[in-house]
Amino acid sequence: MRLRRAARVILVGAPGVGKGTQSERLLTRFPQLSAISSGDLLRHNVKNRTPLGIKVEKTMKTGGLVSDDLILRLITNELGRRGWLFGGRPNIMTLSSSVGEAASLEGVPDAFGSALEADPLAGATLSQQASEDPAASFLLDGFPRTATQAKRLDDIVPINWAVSIQTPFDVIMERISSRWVHEPSGRVYNTSFHAPKVPGYDDITGEPLVKRADDTEEVYRARFQKFQETSEPLLEHYAKKGVLWEVHGMSSDEISPKLYQEFERRFL
């Protein structure tokens, strides 16, 4: 199915609500749409001990939220890498810089902070070609998470569909307690509804599955509370712009058909 216009989409929902699952399904059903997950990019940086990963690892493990500036830089760098932004100034240090580069900054306190805090894409905006071309359609999974981020993102890329995924807290908590992950690929399994063929092992590689460090009830409750505090003004922001759409469901399989139907109505 070919899109008739560019889709610039965000998914908003509590941690564990299934944003990643919906991203994968949309990407499969609509090949012109590409997904960018802030959570996956952050975990990749932590695992590979990049400068950003080292900085935020402790925050993520305790259920805290990474600063707005760093998340915005992560996303804008990714959009810039894809050639969809115009303007900005040369980058000082990319978020995928190696651990060796991070180590080279040891003993130079100001250098590490300055490299991460600088905004190399200040002034960058969506290019005219990307604004009009359906092939430059994208979905931001898990970003923005605050109204402040959303307003800053508006200056770079005009989001034209914000989806709020709604699932009861108890359902999400049960889902998280049953979740296992293949870290190298990011594949997620759930013993309740998407179990691996061999318990404890990835279907593709046969490698062991692990529990995420933040997949505990204590950590999740902290994340959920912080999400609630920030999501209300975020959703209000997109509601005022006329691009907010809510979908309710107890499972990803219940939500997906509704999501497909609305996406097709808007962009096909």
Side-chain angles (χ1 to χ4, degrees), residues 13 17 32 76 80 120 131 158 192 211 232 248 258 265:
V17 79
Q32 285 180 284
T76 53
S131 177
S192 298
K211 296 285 287 184
E232 185 174 347
H248 297 258
K258 301 175 183 178
R265 187 184 74 82

Side-chain angles (χ1 to χ4, degrees), residues 210-223:
V210 299
K211 296 285 287 184
R212 288 176 178 166
D214 54 1
D215 276 358
T216 66
E217 182 171 354
E218 180 180 2
V219 170
Y220 180 75
R221 286 187 180 277
R223 296 176 67 199

